[in-house]
Amino acid sequence: MKPALKRLFYGDDEATEIPVIEDVPVVFPGSGDFWVTFDVKVDSYVLLLFAERSIAKWMDLGGIVDPEARHKFDYSDAIAIPGMLPDPAKLGVTGDMALSDNMIIRNSQGDVYIKLE
C-alpha cells in the first residue's frame, strides 16, 4: 500500500513520502460465524493504522502473545481499513441511497444495491 499522506517530522521544514508498505492485513467487519469480505482493488483508499507493538506473532498464532520486537508504530505493523475516502460525497448518497436506518450494500455508482430494512 502506498500512503497518500506524507510524513512531517517535528523540526523539519519539508514532508517526506512514506515508502510502499507490503503485506498489510485488511480489517473486514464481522464477528463469530459472519463476515463481510470483498476485493480491495489496487489504488483504493484505506485508512492505515500502525499498531503500537509488533503484530507479526499475533497474526500467525492469535491469542495473547509476546510481541518479541521492541519497535513501536513500525511500518511493518500497518493495518488497513477499507472505505476511507477523501470525499465520501462522491458516492452520490441520495434518494433511495440516502443515509437512514437501513443497511445498503452497493456499487460505487449506486445502480446496483441491496437494501436491508
Side-chain angles (χ1 to χ4, degrees):
M1 305 218 167
K2 177 67 178 153
L5 297 176
K6 294 180 178 182
R7 185 166 185 180
L8 185 59
F9 291 96
Y10 182 77
D12 286 353
D13 292 330
E14 269 189 55
T16 57
E17 282 194 33
I18 298 173
V20 171
I21 302 171
E22 303 286 339
D23 301 320
V24 178
V26 176
V27 175
F28 290 105
S31 180
D33 292 335
F34 298 94
W35 292 86
V36 176
T37 60
F38 46 87
D39 186 24
V40 180
K41 300 291 184 191
V42 172
D43 294 330
S44 292
Y45 284 104
V46 300
L47 174 63
L48 281 179
L49 303 176
F50 298 89
E52 180 179 3
R53 297 291 182 185
S54 173
I55 61 172
K57 187 173 180 183
W58 181 82
M59 290 295 296
D60 287 339
L61 303 175
I64 298 173
V65 298
D66 179 343
E68 295 181 337
R70 294 196 182 274
H71 63 253
K72 288 185 171 186
F73 303 108
D74 192 76
Y75 293 152
S76 65
D77 299 312
I79 302 161
I81 302 174
M84 179 92 175
L85 296 174
D87 183 3
K90 290 179 182 175
L91 284 177
V93 181
T94 60
D96 283 348
M97 304 305 286
L99 299 176
S100 65
D101 291 336
N102 305 309
M103 178 180 180
I104 299 173
I105 302 169
R106 54 169 283 189
N107 68 347
S108 60
Q109 294 80 27
D111 58 348
V112 177
Y113 65 92
I114 298 169
K115 184 176 180 180
L116 303 173
E117 298 179 354

